[in-house]
Protein backbone atom coordinates (compact mmCIF):
# COMPACT_ATOMS: atom_id res chain seq x y z
CA UNK A 1 0.00 0.00 0.00
CA UNK A 2 1.30 3.42 -0.86
CA UNK A 3 1.85 6.25 1.62
CA UNK A 4 0.11 8.70 -0.67
CA UNK A 5 -0.59 9.91 -4.16
CA UNK A 6 -0.94 13.12 -6.17
CA UNK A 7 -3.46 13.30 -9.00
CA UNK A 8 -2.35 15.91 -11.55
CA UNK A 9 -4.52 17.10 -14.43
CA UNK A 10 -2.78 16.97 -17.84
CA UNK A 11 -3.29 20.72 -18.23
CA UNK A 12 -1.14 21.27 -15.13
CA UNK A 13 1.68 19.24 -16.67
CA UNK A 14 1.48 21.24 -19.90
CA UNK A 15 1.51 24.49 -17.93
CA UNK A 16 4.51 23.35 -15.89
CA UNK A 17 6.34 22.36 -19.07
CA UNK A 18 5.89 25.85 -20.52
CA UNK A 19 6.71 27.79 -17.37
CA UNK A 20 10.45 28.03 -18.14
CA UNK A 21 12.32 30.78 -19.96
CA UNK A 22 14.17 28.11 -21.97
CA UNK A 23 12.50 24.72 -22.28
CA UNK A 24 13.98 21.49 -21.03
CA UNK A 25 14.01 18.54 -23.43
CA UNK A 26 11.18 16.92 -21.47
CA UNK A 27 9.20 20.17 -21.55
CA UNK A 28 9.68 20.44 -25.31
CA UNK A 29 8.30 16.93 -25.77
CA UNK A 30 5.22 17.71 -23.66
CA UNK A 31 4.39 20.91 -25.53
CA UNK A 32 4.94 19.43 -29.00
CA UNK A 33 2.79 16.36 -28.38
CA UNK A 34 0.12 18.50 -26.74
CA UNK A 35 0.07 20.74 -29.83
CA UNK A 36 -0.05 17.73 -32.16
CA UNK A 37 -2.94 16.28 -30.19
CA UNK A 38 -4.84 19.53 -30.51
CA UNK A 39 -4.12 19.92 -34.22
CA UNK A 40 -7.28 20.53 -36.24
CA UNK A 41 -7.65 20.44 -39.99
CA UNK A 42 -7.55 23.90 -41.48
CA UNK A 43 -6.32 25.47 -38.22
CA UNK A 44 -2.88 26.46 -39.50
CA UNK A 45 -2.15 30.16 -39.42
CA UNK A 46 0.68 32.47 -40.32
CA UNK A 47 3.59 31.96 -37.96
CA UNK A 48 3.35 34.28 -34.98
CA UNK A 49 -0.11 35.55 -35.95
CA UNK A 50 -1.43 35.59 -32.40
CA UNK A 51 -3.66 38.66 -32.62
CA UNK A 52 -4.60 41.39 -30.18
CA UNK A 53 -7.34 39.35 -28.54
CA UNK A 54 -4.96 36.58 -27.48
CA UNK A 55 -2.38 39.07 -26.23
CA UNK A 56 -5.10 40.79 -24.17
CA UNK A 57 -6.07 37.46 -22.64
CA UNK A 58 -2.45 36.68 -21.81
CA UNK A 59 -2.00 40.10 -20.21
CA UNK A 60 -4.66 39.16 -17.66
CA UNK A 61 -2.79 36.03 -16.57
CA UNK A 62 -0.05 35.69 -14.03
CA UNK A 63 3.44 35.85 -15.52
CA UNK A 64 4.10 32.10 -15.30
CA UNK A 65 0.70 31.24 -16.81
CA UNK A 66 1.15 33.74 -19.64
CA UNK A 67 4.60 32.36 -20.41
CA UNK A 68 3.22 28.81 -20.54
CA UNK A 69 0.38 29.91 -22.84
CA UNK A 70 2.83 31.64 -25.19
CA UNK A 71 5.00 28.53 -25.28
CA UNK A 72 1.94 26.48 -26.23
CA UNK A 73 1.21 28.89 -29.11
CA UNK A 74 4.82 28.67 -30.28
CA UNK A 75 4.72 24.86 -30.06
CA UNK A 76 1.58 24.81 -32.23
CA UNK A 77 3.37 27.00 -34.80
CA UNK A 78 6.40 24.70 -34.78
CA UNK A 79 4.23 21.62 -35.34
CA UNK A 80 2.41 23.29 -38.24
CA UNK A 81 5.53 24.69 -39.88
CA UNK A 82 7.51 21.47 -39.57
CA UNK A 83 4.64 19.54 -41.16
CA UNK A 84 4.77 21.86 -44.18
CA UNK A 85 8.54 21.38 -44.40
CA UNK A 86 8.04 17.61 -44.32
CA UNK A 87 5.55 17.80 -47.20
CA UNK A 88 7.88 19.97 -49.29
CA UNK A 89 10.74 17.56 -48.65
CA UNK A 90 8.67 14.80 -50.24
CA UNK A 91 7.84 16.96 -53.25
CA UNK A 92 11.44 18.13 -53.63
CA UNK A 93 12.70 14.53 -53.52
CA UNK A 94 11.02 13.90 -56.86
CA UNK A 95 12.10 17.18 -58.42
CA UNK A 96 15.78 16.55 -58.96
CA UNK A 97 19.01 16.99 -56.96
CA UNK A 98 20.31 20.20 -55.44
CA UNK A 99 17.04 21.59 -54.10
CA UNK A 100 17.49 22.88 -50.55
CA UNK A 101 14.57 22.62 -48.13
CA UNK A 102 14.98 24.34 -44.75
CA UNK A 103 15.48 22.02 -41.77
CA UNK A 104 12.67 21.62 -39.24
CA UNK A 105 12.47 24.19 -36.46
CA UNK A 106 13.69 23.01 -33.06
CA UNK A 107 11.41 24.18 -30.25
CA UNK A 108 14.09 24.13 -27.56
CA UNK A 109 17.40 25.91 -27.21
CA UNK A 110 16.19 29.48 -26.98
CA UNK A 111 13.72 31.94 -25.57
CA UNK A 112 10.24 32.46 -26.99
CA UNK A 113 11.36 35.52 -28.95
CA UNK A 114 14.40 33.71 -30.34
CA UNK A 115 12.34 30.77 -31.54
CA UNK A 116 9.68 33.03 -33.03
CA UNK A 117 12.40 34.79 -35.01
CA UNK A 118 13.78 31.40 -36.07
CA UNK A 119 10.34 30.40 -37.30
CA UNK A 120 9.85 33.61 -39.28
CA UNK A 121 13.18 33.06 -41.01
CA UNK A 122 12.32 29.41 -41.68
CA UNK A 123 8.93 30.32 -43.10
CA UNK A 124 10.56 32.72 -45.57
CA UNK A 125 13.06 30.01 -46.50
CA UNK A 126 10.16 27.58 -47.00
CA UNK A 127 8.41 29.96 -49.40
CA UNK A 128 11.66 30.42 -51.35
CA UNK A 129 12.15 26.64 -51.50
CA UNK A 130 8.60 26.18 -52.81
CA UNK A 131 9.37 28.63 -55.63
CA UNK A 132 12.58 26.74 -56.44
CA UNK A 133 10.71 23.46 -56.65
CA UNK A 134 8.06 25.06 -58.86
CA UNK A 135 10.76 26.32 -61.24
CA UNK A 136 12.57 22.97 -61.26
CA UNK A 137 9.50 21.02 -62.34
CA UNK A 138 7.98 23.65 -64.66
CA UNK A 139 8.93 22.14 -68.01
CA UNK A 140 8.34 18.56 -66.94
CA UNK A 141 4.96 19.44 -65.42
CA UNK A 142 3.85 21.27 -68.58
CA UNK A 143 5.09 18.54 -70.91
CA UNK A 144 3.27 15.82 -68.95
CA UNK A 145 0.08 17.84 -68.95
CA UNK A 146 0.17 18.57 -72.68
CA UNK A 147 0.90 14.90 -73.42
CA UNK A 148 -2.19 13.91 -71.41
CA UNK A 149 -4.52 16.17 -73.43
CA UNK A 150 -6.85 14.45 -75.90
CA UNK A 151 -5.56 15.01 -79.46
CA UNK A 152 -8.57 17.15 -80.36
CA UNK A 153 -7.91 19.44 -77.37
CA UNK A 154 -4.15 19.84 -77.90
CA UNK A 155 -4.48 23.01 -79.97
CA UNK A 156 -1.91 25.84 -79.80
CA UNK A 157 -4.45 28.04 -78.00
CA UNK A 158 -5.13 25.38 -75.37
CA UNK A 159 -1.42 24.72 -74.81
CA UNK A 160 -0.76 28.45 -74.46
CA UNK A 161 -3.58 28.73 -71.93
CA UNK A 162 -2.29 25.75 -69.95
CA UNK A 163 1.20 27.30 -69.90
CA UNK A 164 -0.28 30.54 -68.56
CA UNK A 165 -2.27 28.66 -65.92
CA UNK A 166 0.79 26.76 -64.77
CA UNK A 167 2.74 30.01 -64.43
CA UNK A 168 -0.15 31.53 -62.47
CA UNK A 169 -0.13 28.52 -60.15
CA UNK A 170 3.58 29.05 -59.53
CA UNK A 171 3.00 32.75 -58.73
CA UNK A 172 0.19 31.79 -56.36
CA UNK A 173 -1.61 34.99 -55.54
CA UNK A 174 -4.72 35.48 -53.42
CA UNK A 175 -7.94 35.02 -55.39
CA UNK A 176 -10.01 38.15 -55.99
CA UNK A 177 -13.75 38.57 -56.73
CA UNK A 178 -14.15 37.58 -60.35
CA UNK A 179 -17.34 39.25 -61.57
CA UNK A 180 -17.27 39.34 -65.37
CA UNK A 181 -13.58 38.49 -65.76
CA UNK A 182 -12.73 36.34 -68.76
CA UNK A 183 -12.62 32.57 -68.35
CA UNK A 184 -8.81 32.39 -68.33
CA UNK A 185 -8.56 34.87 -65.49
CA UNK A 186 -11.26 33.02 -63.56
CA UNK A 187 -9.32 29.78 -63.95
CA UNK A 188 -6.23 31.46 -62.53
CA UNK A 189 -8.27 32.74 -59.60
CA UNK A 190 -9.44 29.19 -58.88
CA UNK A 191 -5.90 27.79 -59.18
CA UNK A 192 -4.66 30.50 -56.81
CA UNK A 193 -6.80 28.86 -54.14
CA UNK A 194 -5.00 25.52 -54.42
CA UNK A 195 -3.27 24.75 -51.12
CA UNK A 196 0.45 25.66 -51.37
CA UNK A 197 1.33 22.29 -49.81
CA UNK A 198 -0.25 20.39 -52.70
CA UNK A 199 2.06 17.72 -54.12
CA UNK A 200 2.88 16.98 -57.75
CA UNK A 201 -0.14 14.71 -58.27
CA UNK A 202 -2.50 17.29 -56.77
CA UNK A 203 -1.11 20.04 -58.97
CA UNK A 204 -1.34 17.85 -62.07
CA UNK A 205 -4.99 17.09 -61.34
CA UNK A 206 -5.79 20.77 -60.85
CA UNK A 207 -3.98 21.78 -64.04
CA UNK A 208 -5.72 19.01 -65.98
CA UNK A 209 -9.05 20.50 -64.90
CA UNK A 210 -7.84 23.93 -65.99
CA UNK A 211 -6.84 22.53 -69.37
CA UNK A 212 -10.39 21.25 -69.91
CA UNK A 213 -11.74 24.78 -69.40
CA UNK A 214 -9.36 26.09 -72.05
CA UNK A 215 -10.08 23.20 -74.42
CA UNK A 216 -13.88 23.70 -74.33
CA UNK A 217 -14.54 27.44 -74.69
CA UNK A 218 -18.24 26.99 -75.46
CA UNK A 219 -18.74 24.95 -72.27
CA UNK A 220 -16.21 26.81 -70.12
CA UNK A 221 -18.72 27.66 -67.38
CA UNK A 222 -19.49 23.99 -66.76
CA UNK A 223 -15.82 23.00 -66.74
CA UNK A 224 -14.99 25.96 -64.48
CA UNK A 225 -17.54 24.73 -61.92
CA UNK A 226 -15.94 21.30 -62.11
CA UNK A 227 -12.51 22.85 -61.57
CA UNK A 228 -13.72 24.63 -58.44
CA UNK A 229 -14.97 21.31 -57.10
CA UNK A 230 -11.68 19.63 -57.96
CA UNK A 231 -9.64 22.27 -56.15
CA UNK A 232 -11.93 22.04 -53.13
CA UNK A 233 -11.52 18.26 -52.98
CA UNK A 234 -7.76 18.53 -53.45
CA UNK A 235 -7.47 21.06 -50.64
CA UNK A 236 -9.35 18.71 -48.31
CA UNK A 237 -6.93 15.93 -49.27
CA UNK A 238 -3.90 18.18 -48.64
CA UNK A 239 -5.33 19.20 -45.27
CA UNK A 240 -5.64 15.55 -44.26
CA UNK A 241 -2.11 14.88 -45.48
CA UNK A 242 -0.81 17.87 -43.52
CA UNK A 243 -2.50 16.60 -40.37
CA UNK A 244 -0.73 13.25 -40.82
CA UNK A 245 2.53 15.18 -41.27
CA UNK A 246 1.89 17.12 -38.06
CA UNK A 247 1.50 13.90 -36.14
CA UNK A 248 4.44 12.16 -37.79
CA UNK A 249 6.96 15.00 -37.48
CA UNK A 250 6.03 15.39 -33.82
CA UNK A 251 6.43 11.69 -33.04
CA UNK A 252 9.81 11.71 -34.79
CA UNK A 253 11.04 14.89 -33.07
CA UNK A 254 14.30 14.24 -31.20
CA UNK A 255 13.02 15.18 -27.75
CA UNK A 256 9.74 13.31 -28.19
CA UNK A 257 11.52 10.21 -29.49
CA UNK A 258 13.89 10.34 -26.50
CA UNK A 259 10.96 10.45 -24.09
CA UNK A 260 9.37 7.45 -25.85
CA UNK A 261 12.54 5.39 -26.31
CA UNK A 262 11.71 2.89 -23.55
CA UNK A 263 8.12 2.35 -24.62
CA UNK A 264 6.55 0.75 -27.66
CA UNK A 265 3.04 1.80 -28.66
CA UNK A 266 0.17 -0.54 -27.73
CA UNK A 267 -0.02 -3.49 -30.10
CA UNK A 268 -2.96 -2.15 -32.17
CA UNK A 269 -0.97 1.03 -32.95
CA UNK A 270 2.46 -0.37 -33.80
CA UNK A 271 1.96 0.01 -37.54
CA UNK A 272 0.20 3.37 -37.36
CA UNK A 273 3.30 5.52 -37.84
CA UNK A 274 4.21 3.61 -41.01
CA UNK A 275 0.69 4.11 -42.37
CA UNK A 276 0.86 7.83 -41.57
CA UNK A 277 4.20 7.98 -43.41
CA UNK A 278 2.52 6.52 -46.51
CA UNK A 279 -0.07 9.31 -46.33
CA UNK A 280 2.62 11.99 -46.02
CA UNK A 281 4.49 10.46 -48.96
CA UNK A 282 1.32 10.78 -51.07
CA UNK A 283 0.73 7.08 -51.58
CA UNK A 284 -2.25 6.65 -49.27
CA UNK A 285 -5.23 8.52 -47.84
CA UNK A 286 -5.90 9.48 -44.24
CA UNK A 287 -9.01 7.34 -43.87
CA UNK A 288 -11.38 7.77 -40.91
CA UNK A 289 -9.95 4.57 -39.39
CA UNK A 290 -6.34 5.76 -39.76
CA UNK A 291 -7.30 9.17 -38.43
CA UNK A 292 -8.71 7.50 -35.33
CA UNK A 293 -5.53 5.44 -34.95
CA UNK A 294 -3.39 8.54 -35.39
CA UNK A 295 -5.38 10.35 -32.73
CA UNK A 296 -4.92 7.41 -30.35
CA UNK A 297 -1.20 7.16 -31.11
CA UNK A 298 -0.64 10.84 -30.33
CA UNK A 299 -2.76 10.50 -27.18
CA UNK A 300 -0.62 7.55 -26.05
CA UNK A 301 2.55 9.55 -26.77
CA UNK A 302 1.08 12.41 -24.75
CA UNK A 303 0.60 10.13 -21.76
CA UNK A 304 4.16 8.86 -22.02
CA UNK A 305 5.87 12.25 -22.35
CA UNK A 306 3.79 13.75 -19.55
CA UNK A 307 4.72 10.76 -17.41
CA UNK A 308 8.44 11.30 -18.03
CA UNK A 309 8.17 15.06 -17.51
CA UNK A 310 6.27 14.57 -14.26
CA UNK A 311 8.88 12.08 -13.04
CA UNK A 312 11.66 14.61 -13.79
CA UNK A 313 9.67 17.35 -12.03
CA UNK A 314 9.17 15.14 -8.97
CA UNK A 315 12.87 14.26 -8.97
CA UNK A 316 13.82 17.93 -8.86
CA UNK A 317 11.31 18.76 -6.13
CA UNK A 318 12.36 15.80 -3.97
CA UNK A 319 15.97 16.87 -4.20
CA UNK A 320 14.88 20.33 -3.04
CA UNK A 321 13.34 18.64 0.02
CA UNK A 322 16.59 16.86 0.87
CA UNK A 323 16.10 13.49 -0.81
CA UNK A 324 18.79 11.61 -2.68
CA UNK A 325 17.84 9.64 -5.79
CA UNK A 326 19.26 6.13 -5.52
CA UNK A 327 17.80 4.71 -8.75
CA UNK A 328 15.60 5.54 -11.72
CA UNK A 329 13.43 2.64 -12.81
CA UNK A 330 11.37 2.66 -16.02
CA UNK A 331 8.93 -0.12 -16.81
CA UNK A 332 6.19 -0.79 -19.35
CA UNK A 333 3.68 1.33 -17.46
CA UNK A 334 5.57 3.48 -14.97
CA UNK A 335 8.43 5.95 -14.61
CA UNK A 336 9.86 5.46 -11.15
CA UNK A 337 12.43 6.68 -8.63
CA UNK A 338 13.93 5.17 -5.51
CA UNK A 339 14.90 7.85 -3.00
CA UNK A 340 16.35 8.10 0.49
CA UNK A 341 17.39 10.67 3.08
CA UNK A 342 20.67 10.91 4.95
CA UNK A 343 18.85 11.03 8.31
CA UNK A 344 17.09 7.75 7.51
CA UNK A 345 20.52 6.05 7.82
CA UNK A 346 19.72 3.39 5.21
CA UNK A 347 16.90 1.99 7.34
CA UNK A 348 14.17 3.22 4.98
CA UNK A 349 13.80 4.25 1.36
CA UNK A 350 10.84 5.48 -0.64
CA UNK A 351 9.54 4.43 -4.03
CA UNK A 352 7.96 7.17 -6.13
CA UNK A 353 6.43 6.44 -9.51
CA UNK A 354 4.23 8.07 -12.13
CA UNK A 355 1.65 5.93 -13.88
CA UNK A 356 0.25 6.33 -17.40
CA UNK A 357 -2.52 8.62 -16.17
CA UNK A 358 0.11 10.99 -14.73
CA UNK A 359 -0.75 10.20 -11.09
CA UNK A 360 2.22 10.34 -8.71
CA UNK A 361 2.40 7.48 -6.20
CA UNK A 362 4.76 7.17 -3.27
CA UNK A 363 5.41 4.82 -0.38
CA UNK A 364 8.05 4.36 2.30
CA UNK A 365 9.63 0.91 2.57
CA UNK A 366 11.78 -0.59 5.30
CA UNK A 367 15.17 -1.83 4.07
CA UNK A 368 16.64 -3.24 7.32
CA UNK A 369 14.91 -5.69 9.61
CA UNK A 370 14.13 -4.25 13.03
CA UNK A 371 11.62 -4.87 15.77
CA UNK A 372 10.42 -3.18 18.90
CA UNK A 373 8.65 0.01 19.86
CA UNK A 374 11.44 2.34 18.72
CA UNK A 375 11.59 0.73 15.26
CA UNK A 376 7.82 1.00 14.94
CA UNK A 377 7.96 4.64 16.02
CA UNK A 378 10.59 5.39 13.35
CA UNK A 379 8.49 3.58 10.77
CA UNK A 380 5.45 5.72 11.43
CA UNK A 381 7.44 8.94 11.84
CA UNK A 382 9.23 8.57 8.51
CA UNK A 383 6.04 7.58 6.73
CA UNK A 384 4.38 10.73 8.10
CA UNK A 385 7.40 12.82 7.11
CA UNK A 386 7.20 11.48 3.58
CA UNK A 387 3.45 12.17 3.49
CA UNK A 388 4.17 15.77 4.52
CA UNK A 389 6.66 16.10 1.68
CA UNK A 390 4.13 14.71 -0.81
CA UNK A 391 1.76 17.47 0.33
CA UNK A 392 4.51 20.05 -0.25
CA UNK A 393 5.12 18.59 -3.72
CA UNK A 394 1.43 18.83 -4.56
CA UNK A 395 1.32 22.48 -3.46
CA UNK A 396 4.36 23.37 -5.55
CA UNK A 397 2.94 21.63 -8.61
CA UNK A 398 -0.53 23.09 -8.11
CA UNK A 399 0.53 26.75 -7.53
CA UNK A 400 -2.99 27.55 -6.39
CA UNK A 401 -4.73 26.43 -9.59
CA UNK A 402 -6.53 23.41 -8.18
CA UNK A 403 -4.99 21.09 -10.76
CA UNK A 404 -3.19 18.77 -8.30
CA UNK A 405 -4.98 16.81 -5.60
CA UNK A 406 -3.04 14.95 -2.90
CA UNK A 407 -4.17 12.01 -0.79
CA UNK A 408 -1.84 10.72 1.97
CA UNK A 409 -1.99 8.05 4.64
CA UNK A 410 -0.65 9.05 8.03
CA UNK A 411 0.31 6.64 10.78
CA UNK A 412 0.96 3.97 8.14
CA UNK A 413 3.61 1.37 8.95
CA UNK A 414 5.69 0.59 5.84
CA UNK A 415 6.21 -2.83 4.35
CA UNK A 416 9.60 -4.51 4.29
CA UNK A 417 11.04 -4.32 0.78
CA UNK A 418 12.75 -7.69 0.71
CA UNK A 419 9.92 -9.61 2.32
CA UNK A 420 6.60 -7.95 1.52
CA UNK A 421 6.79 -5.53 -1.40
CA UNK A 422 7.30 -5.59 -5.14
CA UNK A 423 9.65 -2.98 -6.59
CA UNK A 424 6.96 -0.72 -8.01
CA UNK A 425 3.22 -1.11 -7.84
CA UNK A 426 1.72 -0.93 -11.35
CA UNK A 427 -1.80 -1.98 -10.39
CA UNK A 428 -3.05 1.57 -10.94
CA UNK A 429 -2.45 1.47 -14.69
CA UNK A 430 -5.32 1.55 -17.18
CA UNK A 431 -5.50 0.30 -20.78
CA UNK A 432 -5.11 2.75 -23.65
CA UNK A 433 -8.05 3.32 -25.97
CA UNK A 434 -6.49 1.01 -28.56
CA UNK A 435 -5.88 -1.74 -25.98
CA UNK A 436 -9.44 -1.40 -24.70
CA UNK A 437 -10.81 -1.80 -28.23
CA UNK A 438 -8.69 -4.92 -28.78
CA UNK A 439 -9.90 -6.49 -25.52
CA UNK A 440 -13.51 -5.68 -26.36
CA UNK A 441 -13.18 -7.21 -29.84
CA UNK A 442 -11.79 -10.41 -28.34
CA UNK A 443 -14.80 -11.00 -26.10
Amino acid sequence: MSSGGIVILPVAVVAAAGAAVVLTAAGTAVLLVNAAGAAAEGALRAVGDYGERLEAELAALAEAEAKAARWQCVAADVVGLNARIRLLERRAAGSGPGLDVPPPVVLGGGTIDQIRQRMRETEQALLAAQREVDAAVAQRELAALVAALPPAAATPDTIAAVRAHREALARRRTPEPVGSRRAGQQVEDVLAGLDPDANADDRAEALAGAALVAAHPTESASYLRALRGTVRDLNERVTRRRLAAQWLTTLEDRDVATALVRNDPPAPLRGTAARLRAVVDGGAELTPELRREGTELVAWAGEMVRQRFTRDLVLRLLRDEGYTVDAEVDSRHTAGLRVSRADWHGEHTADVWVDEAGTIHGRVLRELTAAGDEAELRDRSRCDEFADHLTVLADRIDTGTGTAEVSVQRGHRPEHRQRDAAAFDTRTTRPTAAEARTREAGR
Side-chain angles (χ1 to χ4, degrees):
M1 182 177 292
S2 68
S3 300
I6 305 172
V7 179
I8 307 173
L9 297 180
V11 65
V13 181
V14 175
V21 174
V22 177
L23 298 179
T24 64
T28 296
V30 168
L31 291 175
L32 286 175
V33 175
N34 187 65
E41 294 189 11
L44 295 179
R45 59 174 185 266
V47 171
D49 182 20
Y50 301 105
E52 294 180 0
R53 179 178 177 182
L54 176 59
E55 288 300 326
E57 292 174 359
L58 295 178
L61 299 177
E63 181 180 353
E65 292 175 295
K67 186 182 298 177
R70 286 192 175 92
W71 270 122
Q72 290 174 68
C73 289
V74 172
D77 285 342
V78 168
V79 168
L81 188 57
N82 286 347
R84 298 191 62 200
I85 291 170
R86 178 68 171 264
L87 294 176
L88 185 61
E89 283 176 347
R90 295 307 308 156
R91 187 173 168 223
S95 303
L99 293 173
D100 292 329
V101 176
V105 176
V106 176
L107 182 58
T111 65
I112 288 176
D113 288 341
Q114 288 170 337
I115 293 171
R116 281 179 175 173
Q117 179 60 31
R118 194 185 303 164
M119 283 192 293
R120 284 191 288 268
E121 294 170 355
T122 301
E123 188 178 38
Q124 291 304 310
L126 176 64
L127 295 174
Q130 285 178 327
R131 290 192 292 269
E132 288 184 16
V133 172
D134 284 345
V137 301
Q139 293 304 316
R140 187 193 323 162
E141 199 171 60
L142 181 62
L145 185 58
V146 170
L149 288 173
T155 65
D157 288 344
T158 299
I159 294 173
V162 169
R163 180 180 288 106
H165 296 334
R166 208 221 67 84
E167 291 172 354
L169 183 58
R171 291 194 300 271
R172 193 170 302 283
R173 52 185 171 74
T174 303
E176 300 172 354
V178 295
S180 60
R181 294 158 65 85
R182 64 179 176 82
Q185 290 174 316
Q186 293 183 48
V187 167
E188 292 176 10
D189 285 333
V190 174
L191 291 176
L194 181 65
D195 194 301
D197 295 329
N199 66 15
D201 290 341
D202 301 326
R203 290 164 58 87
E205 188 172 340
L207 286 169
L212 292 176
V213 179
H216 300 84
T218 60
E219 302 172 89
S220 62
S222 175
Y223 283 102
L224 187 61
R225 284 194 298 273
L227 176 61
R228 290 194 182 99
T230 296
V231 169
R232 182 183 60 249
D233 293 344
L234 290 172
N235 285 346
E236 291 174 357
R237 182 192 302 170
V238 175
T239 299
R240 293 190 294 270
R241 190 183 303 134
R242 186 163 46 225
L243 180 60
Q246 288 177 313
W247 288 339
L248 193 61
T249 54
T250 299
L251 293 169
E252 293 178 351
D253 176 84
R254 178 192 60 194
D255 292 330
V256 175
T258 298
L260 299 177
V261 70
R262 293 185 178 91
N263 292 85
D264 291 326
L269 303 177
R270 287 180 188 163
T272 301
R275 290 192 286 275
L276 289 174
R277 192 170 294 110
V279 173
V280 173
D281 291 347
E285 275 287 325
L286 185 65
T287 63
E289 180 182 2
L290 181 54
R291 182 182 177 123
R292 176 180 47 73
E293 285 188 20
T295 301
E296 291 180 2
L297 181 61
V298 172
W300 166 82
E303 291 179 351
M304 295 298 100
V305 299
R306 286 193 297 271
Q307 183 185 79
R308 291 301 186 271
F309 176 84
T310 303
R311 194 270 303 274
D312 291 350
L313 177 62
V314 169
L315 185 154
R316 185 170 70 253
L317 296 177
L318 285 173
R319 282 174 171 160
D320 290 346
E321 295 299 322
Y323 288 85
T324 299
V325 176
D326 299 329
E328 298 182 20
V329 182
D330 291 328
S331 69
R332 168 72 173 82
H333 294 287
T334 63
L337 303 167
R338 183 166 298 161
V339 299
S340 61
R341 295 178 64 86
D343 56 3
W344 287 0
H345 306 295
E347 191 176 15
H348 296 86
T349 59
D351 283 351
V352 184
W353 68 98
V354 183
D355 67 19
E356 288 173 308
T359 301
I360 303 168
H361 304 268
R363 61 177 177 177
V364 174
L365 293 165
R366 171 169 279 282
E367 297 288 346
L368 304 178
T369 301
D373 292 344
E374 290 187 4
E376 183 174 345
L377 183 62
R378 288 194 301 275
D379 281 349
R380 298 188 187 283
S381 173
R382 287 168 182 169
C383 190
D384 286 350
E385 179 183 28
F386 182 68
D388 289 340
H389 288 146
L390 283 180
T391 302
V392 172
L393 259 62
D395 288 343
R396 293 182 63 183
I397 293 170
D398 188 293
T399 64
T401 61
T403 52
E405 180 180 344
V406 64
S407 174
V408 297
Q409 298 173 355
R410 300 186 184 279
H412 169 67
R413 188 170 187 186
E415 297 174 316
H416 194 292
R417 182 183 298 280
Q418 300 301 325
R419 185 177 62 238
D420 303 319
F424 287 91
D425 186 352
T426 62
R427 289 172 293 177
T428 58
T429 59
R430 55 187 174 79
T432 65
E435 289 172 328
R437 280 192 296 103
T438 300
R439 293 179 188 178
E440 188 68 26
R443 290 178 182 175

